Amino acid sequence: MIYGDGTVDLAGANHQLILDSDFTLHSATLSLGGLVTTSGAGTFFVGYGGELTLSEDTFNTGLTVEGFGKVEVQSGSSSLNFASTIDPEGTLTVLGVGASATLTVGAALTNNGLLVLDNDGGVSTVGLTISGGSFSNFGRVHITDTSGGGTRNFNGLLNNQGELDVDYGLTISGASLAHQNSGDINIATGVTLVVGDASSSLNISNIGRLSGDGTVNIAGAFNNDGTIAPGDSIGTLTITGSLTLSGTSVLEIEAVSYTHLTLPT
């Protein structure tokens, strides 16, 4: 365990953290300065008040972000090669800071807390790739831009049962994938969500919801069994692609008053 108010910085290349048992970072800051590798039978826990920064580092152990723990993946490409979890009140942020930042997960990633794709300086590509298993969201995913612009990319199988707030353009890629939403996908005004592979589909379950004032651009199939709710009083949600509505589909339109809504007679 690392505990305290200070900072540990492993700068330089080719450091190794060998975890023969579980390891906890608690109420302290650990910065892995690039090309650091973890290995061993243990799991790396980032606990209450702990902050872990990755930059071109590789985890060959499991990673669990516990309540009020924070992990930030900065410039470069970092990897998690074992199943990893974000617990409630835990936060995992992939952040471009003057350069692109990408996190590749070689196994399943489960989010019960908050996952953020963001950029803060310079035009950067910020991405999350799931190369093994799927990404299951039961918490909140926030796609945003603090400053600088660039692109936000998600590559892999999406299973959203929580909240996906798209406040900045997001491209979902990957071939022959059936993305599932039984939670809420909200797309902000002027923002586009792209599902870019024609062999993949986006499927909204009967308890799922798609809302907002943005645009959904789908190259493959878009199957809706749930609720489509354009904006607020009355908003516009643009869907580009092939949309199939089942018998359980609901179009939810919010009007300020009846004077704003004209129904055919």
Side-chain angles (χ1 to χ4, degrees):
M1 172 182 286
I2 294 180
Y3 177 88
D5 297 324
T7 299
V8 178
D9 189 350
L10 296 180
N14 301 321
H15 291 295
Q16 292 193 35
L17 292 177
I18 300 174
L19 307 183
D20 292 328
S21 59
D22 291 347
F23 176 89
T24 299
L25 177 67
H26 188 276
S27 299
T29 299
L30 175 61
S31 178
L32 305 185
L35 302 180
V36 176
T37 300
T38 69
S39 61
T43 296
F44 195 113
F45 290 89
V46 181
Y48 185 94
E51 297 186 15
L52 173 66
T53 301
L54 306 180
S55 178
E56 297 191 4
D57 302 301
T58 301
F59 267 61
N60 292 321
T61 58
L63 174 67
T64 297
V65 187
E66 297 181 308
F68 301 100
K70 296 181 179 180
V71 174
E72 189 170 283
V73 180
Q74 294 187 357
S75 305
S77 298
S78 293
S79 300
L80 305 177
N81 291 325
F82 281 72
S84 298
T85 303
I86 308 166
D87 286 344
E89 306 296 339
T91 301
L92 171 62
T93 301
V94 184
L95 179 67
V97 184
S100 297
T102 302
L103 176 64
T104 299
V105 182
L109 176 62
T110 302
N111 176 43
N112 298 296
L114 174 63
L115 187 143
V116 180
L117 300 185
D118 191 9
N119 183 54
D120 190 10
V123 179
S124 300
T125 298
V126 178
L128 173 64
T129 295
I130 309 296
S131 61
S134 65
F135 171 59
S136 297
N137 177 49
F138 301 95
R140 181 179 182 231
V141 176
H142 189 202
I143 311 301
T144 187
D145 184 62
T146 299
S147 68
T151 60
R152 309 290 176 272
N153 301 317
F154 173 81
N155 188 327
L157 180 60
L158 172 66
N159 174 20
N160 179 52
Q161 300 184 47
E163 298 178 24
L164 172 54
D165 292 324
V166 185
D167 290 332
Y168 188 83
L170 172 66
T171 297
I172 298 176
S173 58
S176 302
L177 299 175
H179 304 292
Q180 304 292 329
N181 176 54
S182 55
D184 188 2
I185 299 175
N186 184 269
I187 306 172
T189 302
V191 170
T192 299
L193 170 65
V194 176
V195 182
D197 196 290
S199 65
S200 293
S201 62
L202 177 61
N203 305 284
I204 310 293
S205 78
N206 62 344
I207 60 172
R209 182 180 177 89
L210 173 67
S211 61
D213 286 285
T215 298
V216 183
N217 189 338
I218 298 183
F222 182 15
N223 305 305
N224 180 61
D225 296 330
T227 298
I228 296 178
D232 296 313
S233 305
I234 295 173
T236 300
L237 181 63
T238 302
I239 297 174
T240 302
S242 176
L243 172 62
T244 300
L245 302 174
S246 76
T248 61
S249 296
V250 174
L251 177 61
E252 181 181 292
I253 298 176
E254 179 182 342
V256 173
S257 69
Y258 289 114
T259 60
H260 288 78
L261 184 62
T262 301
L263 297 176
T265 57

